[in-house]
């Protein structure tokens, strides 16, 4: 496994639509493992391949609390089969938009089909934090960031601050090997 570097916004690589994988083979499993290692090190609760510059429809997440045992989910080619009319609004953050948060409204429950680590087709009904995180990571596969769900004004404020932070160079926390 290898820890990868996470791309921060604004960056055109975060805006591309990722391509489905033909199957979850050794190469895709290696990507899933690297994404998980990178996510846990950050630390974060979800990470999608485009965030590390890989344009395959692959993502990982783990919404287990710190005191709980790790419970990683490795996902390829996810599709929303059903979304509830009921919505929920929760604060979201993103490893590609460090130190910025915003309230995002999404369907409260979703049924999602995907290929798992063993290339088996799996369907899950997600609610709560899992539904929120899955939808956030799936957005990344279509080049959508959580700020794209905010008002134009709010989005521009955040992106302008991130652009400025990039010009100032890596912060001490990011400069570690
Ligand atoms: Ni994100």
């Amino acid at each position: 496994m290898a820890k990868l570097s996470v791309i921060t916004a604004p960056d055109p690589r975060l805006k591309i639509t990722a391509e489905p994988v033909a199957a979850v083979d050794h190469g895709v499993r290696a990507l899933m493992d690297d994404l998980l290692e990178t996510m846990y090190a950050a630390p974060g609760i979800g990470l999608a391949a485009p965030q590390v510059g890989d344009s395959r429809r692959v993502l990982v997440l783990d919404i287990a609390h710190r005191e709980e045992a790790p419970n990683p989910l490795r996902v390829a080619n996810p599709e929303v089969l059903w979304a509830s009319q009921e919505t929920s609004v929760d604060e979201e953050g993103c490893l590609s938009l460090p130190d910025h948060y915003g309230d995002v409204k999404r369907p409260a429950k979703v049924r999602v089909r995907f290929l798992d680590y063993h290339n088996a087709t799996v369907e899950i009904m997600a609610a709560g934090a899992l539904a929120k995180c899955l939808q956030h990571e799936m957005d990344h596969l279509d080049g959508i960031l959580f700020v794209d769900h905010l008002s134009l004004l709010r989005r521009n404020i955040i992106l302008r601050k991130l652009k400025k932070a990039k010009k100032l160079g890596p912060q001490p926390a990011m400069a570690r090997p």
Side-chain angles (χ1 to χ4, degrees):
M1 297 217 289
K3 199 171 148 267
L4 309 168
S5 57
V6 177
I7 297 166
T8 55
D11 190 301
R13 290 171 292 177
L14 294 171
K15 304 306 293 176
I16 58 169
T17 300
E19 296 289 332
V21 300
V24 178
D25 56 11
H26 177 77
V28 173
R29 279 194 287 275
L31 172 61
M32 289 169 162
D33 291 340
D34 288 347
L35 285 171
L36 265 185
E37 185 178 341
T38 306
M39 181 193 85
Y40 285 132
I45 59 168
L47 188 64
Q51 294 180 271
V52 297
D54 188 306
S55 59
R56 285 178 280 182
R57 299 185 81 79
V58 172
L59 62 88
V60 296
L61 57 92
D62 188 343
I63 56 154
H65 293 287
R66 265 165 195 280
E67 63 274 18
E68 294 173 339
N71 187 21
L73 195 61
R74 301 166 176 91
V75 172
N77 297 355
E79 291 172 78
V80 172
L81 302 176
W82 172 85
S84 64
Q85 296 265 300
E86 186 201 341
T87 55
S88 80
V89 179
D90 284 292
E91 188 175 72
E92 295 188 18
C94 181
L95 294 176
S96 293
L97 298 119
D99 304 323
H100 293 279
Y101 302 89
D103 283 336
V104 179
K105 183 166 132 181
R106 301 186 185 273
K109 290 178 188 163
V110 284
R111 176 173 281 281
V112 176
R113 180 165 61 203
F114 60 92
L115 292 175
D116 73 3
Y117 196 66
H118 308 288
N119 198 45
T121 301
V122 177
E123 268 183 44
I124 59 167
M125 178 66 99
L130 180 60
K132 178 178 83 161
C133 190
L134 249 179
Q135 291 177 84
H136 174 116
E137 299 312 326
M138 287 177 71
D139 268 357
H140 278 299
L141 305 180
D142 291 320
I144 299 166
L145 302 174
F146 84 77
V147 286
D148 295 320
H149 293 280
L150 308 179
S151 70
L152 184 63
L153 178 69
R154 185 89 186 95
R155 172 158 74 245
N156 285 342
I157 289 170
I158 291 176
L159 291 175
R160 206 159 45 230
K161 282 182 180 167
L162 285 165
K163 206 169 179 176
K164 202 170 161 190
K166 271 192 187 187
K167 268 191 202 145
L168 293 172
Q171 300 302 296
M174 293 168 67
R176 278 185 253 126

